[in-house]
Structures are given as C-alpha cells and as structure tokens.
Amino acid sequence: MNKSSYVALMVVAGLGFGGTLCSSYGVEGSDQLIVEANKSISTAEASIGEARSAIENAKQLLATIPSDSEMMGEVTEMLADVKDNWSLALEALNGAKESASKIPTASSSEIAGDYKLLATVNAGVALSGAEVVKTGISFIEAVAGNKVEALDIIRSAMQDSLAASSQVQFNYERVKSLITQKYSK
Amino acid sequence: MKKYHFNKIGLAVCVAGLFSSVQVGAIDLAAASGLLADVAVISAQSSSALAAAANSGDVEAIVEAQNRADAVDSAMAEAQEAYAAMERAVAGGDEDAAAAAAEDLTAAQQKAGDALNGVFPEVDSQETAAMQAVRGAQTIPPTFMMYRGRRMDFAVPIREYLVRCGVHHHKVALDLVSVTLLLSSGSFIRFTRGCLRFFRGLYYE
C-alpha cells in the first residue's frame, strides 16, 4: 500500500465512521426529537382547546354584565389582553407545528435539535398565551357572577400571567436569535 | 518511522470524523433560554390555576393554588438567577461555572414543575441532613439554639466564613465556634445578668 492510498483509506474510514454515527442518530435521535416536540404541541393544543371553550362561555357571560357597570372598563381591558394573547397563541401553535415538521428532513442532528427547540419554545408561547386567555376569562366570570372577593386575586394572577407570557415570548426571541447567530457565522 | 507518521495522520482523521458526528454543545445558551421559557410557562399555568380557584370560592383550593403559585415564582426567580450566572460564565469563558449554572437552571425547572403539581421540597429535613453531613465531616458539635421557635444555626456559616478567610485548621475553627456559642448561649447571658444584679446589689447596699 503506497502513501497516498493509505491516507485516502484513513480519510474514508474516518468520515465513514462519523457518517455511520450520523445516520444511526438520524433514525433514533430524530424520532425522539419528534416525540418530544409533539408532546409540547399536544399540551399547548389542549390548553388552547380549554381557552376556546372559555371564550365561548365568556360571550354569554358578557351579555349578563350591565353596560353601565363600573367594572366595564376593566372588563374591556381584560378583553383586549385576551384578544392579543389568543391571536399570539394560535400563531405560535402554527409556528411550533411548522418547526416540528422540519425535524425529520433536517440535514444534521444539530439542525434537527434546533428545530425541536424552536418547536417546544413556540409551543410554550402558545401555551402561555392560552393560559393568559383562561385567566382573563376567569375575571369576566367573576364580574358576571358578582364574586367581588375573587377579583383581587384574579387581577394579581392576570398580572403575573401577562408577565410570564412576556417572559416566554422574550425567551423565544432569544432562542431564535441565538440559533440564527450560530448558523450565520 | 514513516509508517508511524502515517498512522498518526490516520488516527487524527478518524478522531476528526468521530467528533464531526458527535457535536455536543457543552454550553448551550439557546437550550438554557428554552428552559427559562419553560419555567415561565409553568408560572403562567400556576396563575391561571389560581384564578380558577378564586372563582370556585373554595378557600382551601385558593390557599393551595396560592402556595403553588408562590413556590413556582420562587423557582422562577432561581431560574432567572441561574440563567444570568450562566450568561456571565459564558461571557467570561468559565465552562465549569456555566455547567454549574446550567444544572441550577435544570433544578429550578424541576422545582417549578413539582410546585405546579403540589409537590413541595422538604426544606427543613434536607437542610438538617446537609448540616448534619457537614458536622459529621468536620466533627463540630451541635451548634444551634432555638430563638422564638426558630432554629438558629450558626456553626456552618461561621465555618464557611473561616474557611473563606483561609482558616482551614479545624481546631482553630472549632475554638472560635465554641467561643461564639458560649457568648450566644442562654446560660452565659443568665450568668452575665446574675453578675450585673450582684454588682448592682453591692452598689446600692
């Protein structure tokens, strides 16, 4: 065996070994990533389903609140937050599904992992948005049912919920930015 | 000699091929951001559960939901702190500190998830066990006193302070702890008060 053929053989062996590991990851690792991403998406979907039912319920409850009620201003504010977060939740859920759909066709394990991360964090944005919707609707329920003692607790919970939702969105943007930076080097 | 040289090249190529396939990001800020987002999601869930409990009017359910929300908030604060520590460590190139911060972040996420499900850590028993372990290792006698129903333990912080100051000799540390114990003990205070009363009595007589 001469010098050049020996080096060529070793190069092929090295890359082949690496490639074997890559392809074995592609079968098992990718499946695991898909399972994890789908789990997050299912949880978000379930919460969005509950939020959808709450919105349907709120439509009827709103009709029972007198238009001259002193709580109407606050109810309107809550509804604005509910609307924003509902749109955000639906959009994020679609984004999560799109990212998850790219996992099996990713060209490397690293890219597949990043798609999975984007899918799970986007599912988190959807889930937190749906939770804000549910909390806001709880306030409308309390006003409609004249449960004065519950209002303060729900107000505080709504503030916390909105802060948490903003934190999730902020982190989603951070994840996106860090992943973009990684591939733009 | 030449053959040996080619074997080295071959080995290097094989190793490079292996590492090209196994890309382990030791410090992954993106994944850490994902974890932090997950903790925030748990926080939103706990707030929603609290609002639902408030609407139910069940006082016990409200108290329970409030406790869970508080514990989740506490875990959230820990997670934020760990993330900030991780960012600092990554910026400073300290991989060990970054790995430790990543562990703290994962622990905070676990804590938040547990709190949402009503599983609270048994702080007292864990702390006591840790203190006992430290005492066992350093052969420091029981060094706590009860003050208004709260257990005040000062041996561990004092020992840690001494070690931080460079005092590693256990005997010196033990002596200092004993003096501190004596000064803080109820019997010493009673003895001092007794002396004061005695001298005051002498003065007035």
Side-chain angles (χ1 to χ4, degrees), chain B residues 16-136:
Chain B
L18 175 65
F19 276 93
S20 72
S21 64
V22 187
Q23 292 174 354
V24 179
I27 307 303
D28 193 346
L29 269 179
S33 299
L35 280 181
L36 191 56
D38 194 34
V39 181
V41 169
I42 294 169
S43 176
Q45 286 176 296
S46 71
S47 298
S48 170
L50 176 59
N55 252 338
S56 74
D58 181 344
V59 177
E60 277 184 26
I62 294 169
V63 170
E64 177 63 21
Q66 184 69 67
N67 286 341
R68 290 181 187 196
D70 289 346
V72 170
D73 283 349
S74 162
M76 179 76 203
E78 283 175 25
Q80 281 170 330
E81 204 176 305
Y83 186 86
M86 193 175 173
E87 268 187 324
R88 281 195 301 274
V90 169
D94 188 345
E95 285 206 8
D96 289 343
E103 273 180 29
D104 289 347
L105 186 55
T106 309
Q109 184 209 22
Q110 179 67 42
K111 207 171 170 183
D114 286 347
L116 182 69
N117 295 317
V119 180
F120 301 108
E122 290 176 20
V123 179
D124 291 343
S125 62
Q126 278 179 3
E127 279 182 358
T128 309
M131 285 170 191
Q132 281 168 351
V134 170
R135 279 194 207 116

Side-chain angles (χ1 to χ4, degrees), chain B residues 131 135 141-146 150-155 181:
Chain B
M131 285 170 191
R135 279 194 207 116
T143 50
F144 64 89
M145 59 186 281
M146 300 303 288
R150 287 185 65 191
R151 182 182 162 136
M152 311 294 284
D153 202 302
F154 30 84
L181 263 175

Side-chain angles (χ1 to χ4, degrees), chain A residues 8 28 37 87 137-138 156 168 185:
Chain A
E28 289 173 18
S87 308
I137 301 294
S138 288
S156 164
V168 181
K185 274 177 189 171

Side-chain angles (χ1 to χ4, degrees), chain B residues 4-16:
Chain B
Y4 172 69
H5 180 64
F6 286 134
N7 279 342
K8 272 205 321 194
I9 293 171
L11 182 67
V13 172
C14 277
V15 170

